[in-house]
Amino acid sequence: MTDLGDIWVYLSSSPLLHLTLTLVAYLIGARLYRRFNLHPLLNPVLIAVLILVAVLLITETDYATYFEGAQFVHFLLGPATVALAIPLYNQIERVRRSAASLLSALVLGSLSAAASAAAIAWALGASPEVVASIAPKSVTTPIAMGISEKLGGLPSLTAVLVILTGVLGATLGPILLNLMRIRDWRARGLAIGVGGHGIGTARAMQVNEVAGAFAGLAMGLNALATAILLPLIWAWLF
């Protein structure tokens, strides 16, 4: 009888295995998410990450091997991000009416997100390299890694922090907004988009179209604002 270890060795050589595992893990997360009425603590991305980490640890599979098979999902992030323009277009009149307050909130949110993270890391005794890595954690991953590298940080550490920030923003953000009694979908979407970038925006899309549109806009403009302002402030401070 064929040993299970031999079967796994055979399967792991196929690039489709890890793509399939990724999709199955997300489907499990999405099923749990719907089963419990879209509870924010059961975010599908969080569930999928936990499942995949467990599988990779149990099978002793390194990340490079996993990514080789699952990179098609990474490729789809580009078209998915561009698709965020559709709900934004549908809500363009609301965006125009809120332009002044939106831009001021965006700049303050972008600066406070970077400043608070950097200040906490610095207060805890982190090295300048780590502080530079954590400062852009509220920006979507590719841009955050570029900012981190320019500041002298570790792009790989930044990538981990960005994903963690997105998951926390998507899971805890709605709970915090409810506790603060913020009901306006524009404000909720803006806050989730700035604080939780792509993962938070996906969550907002599932809840309300207006919130999703403002979250997508906030995610894009926050990335632009952080990419411009953070290196300038960093150079001035250091």
Side-chain angles (χ1 to χ4, degrees):
M1 185 176 180
T2 304
D3 186 82
L4 289 177
D6 294 335
I7 295 176
W8 175 256
V9 171
Y10 170 75
L11 290 175
S12 63
S13 63
S14 170
L16 290 177
L17 173 66
H18 296 110
L19 174 60
T20 303
L21 285 175
T22 303
L23 296 177
V24 170
Y26 183 81
L27 288 174
I28 293 173
R31 182 67 178 271
L32 289 172
Y33 188 52
R34 291 192 299 269
R35 173 67 179 78
F36 291 93
N37 299 318
L38 308 185
H39 194 287
L41 293 179
L42 291 175
N43 185 276
V45 176
L46 174 60
I47 300 298
V49 168
L50 294 177
I51 292 174
L52 289 171
V53 168
V55 171
L56 295 184
L57 289 175
I58 292 171
T59 60
E60 298 182 351
T61 303
D62 61 86
Y63 179 77
T65 302
Y66 162 76
F67 186 74
E68 184 179 352
Q71 59 183 325
F72 182 66
V73 177
H74 179 75
F75 166 77
L76 291 177
L77 287 176
T81 302
V82 174
L84 293 175
I86 297 175
L88 177 59
Y89 177 80
N90 293 335
Q91 302 294 328
I92 193 64
E93 288 303 319
R94 294 193 183 196
V95 172
R96 286 175 179 170
R97 292 196 298 267
S98 308
S101 56
L102 187 153
L103 289 176
S104 59
L106 178 72
V107 172
L108 291 174
S110 177
L111 291 176
S112 62
S116 60
I120 292 172
W122 190 272
L124 293 176
S127 66
E129 191 176 40
V130 173
V131 175
S133 302
I134 198 174
K137 51 86 181 171
S138 291
V139 181
T140 189
T141 306
I143 298 176
M145 293 176 69
I147 296 173
S148 173
E149 185 175 14
K150 185 175 181 63
L151 300 182
L154 302 170
S156 57
L157 176 59
T158 300
V160 174
L161 294 170
V162 168
I163 295 172
L164 180 61
T165 299
V167 171
L168 290 175
T171 54
L172 301 181
I175 296 175
L176 181 60
L177 291 170
N178 288 338
L179 290 175
M180 297 175 66
R181 298 183 179 180
I182 297 176
R183 308 301 182 192
D184 190 310
W185 288 114
R186 296 171 299 174
R188 291 176 70 95
L190 185 68
I192 293 294
V194 172
H197 50 83
I199 300 175
T201 298
R203 157 70 180 170
M205 288 281 189
Q206 294 173 325
V207 175
N208 182 272
E209 184 180 354
V210 174
F214 275 78
L217 178 63
M219 180 185 71
L221 293 181
N222 180 47
L224 178 63
T226 305
I228 294 173
L229 297 175
L230 189 55
L232 293 176
I233 296 173
W234 193 268
W236 177 63
L237 291 175
F238 299 97

